[in-house]
Every structure is written in C-alpha cells, then in structure tokens.
C-alpha cells in the first residue's frame, strides 16, 4: 500500500460560543512524511489537527483520506 497525502479543502470551524469562525475556507495539503505544524499560539493549530484526526468535525469542508 502506498502512503497517501492528507488534504483538507474548504475547512471552516467555529466554536459554539465564538463570535466568528476560528478559520474559514482553509485549504491545506500535508505531504507524505510531514512532521509538524508550526505557528503562533492561539491560531488554531490544535483545532486543525483535531479535525484532521477526526476528533472534531468541521462546519464545512472535507478531509481526505477520511479520518
């Protein structure tokens, strides 16, 4: 079996009590062998990875392969 790239297309997510989405219409592709997501504190890295793992469902968009 050949490794597959993780892609996320049109991802939008808002926490229930948030006044606006944490992120909207995010497109990202993680190549085979990627090892880290880096960025400032509080910008949504952990939330994005929870969506990638299938622990959270986005309000819109797709994750492939399906977690």
């Amino acid at each position: 079996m050949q490794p597959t790239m993780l892609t996320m297309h049109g991802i939008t997510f808002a926490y229930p009590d948030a006044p606006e989405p944490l992120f909207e219409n995010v497109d990202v592709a993680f190549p085979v062998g990627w090892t880290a997501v880096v960025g400032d504190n509080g910008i949504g890295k952990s939330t994005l990875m929870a969506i990638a793992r299938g622990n959270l469902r986005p309000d819109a968009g797709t994750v492939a392969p399906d977690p």
Side-chain angles (χ1 to χ4, degrees):
M1 175 181 250
Q2 190 168 356
T4 304
M5 178 183 295
L6 173 66
T7 60
M8 302 173 82
H9 179 70
I11 301 295
T12 296
F13 182 83
Y15 284 104
D17 295 334
E20 60 187 47
L22 180 59
F23 36 78
E24 291 182 277
N25 204 30
V26 171
D27 293 326
V28 64
F30 298 99
V32 174
W34 69 277
T35 59
V37 175
V38 182
D40 292 337
N41 289 343
I43 63 169
K45 298 178 304 288
S46 295
T47 301
L48 188 66
M49 293 300 95
I51 292 169
R53 290 189 311 271
N55 297 108
L56 286 175
R57 295 188 59 100
D59 298 323
T62 60
V63 178
D66 194 10

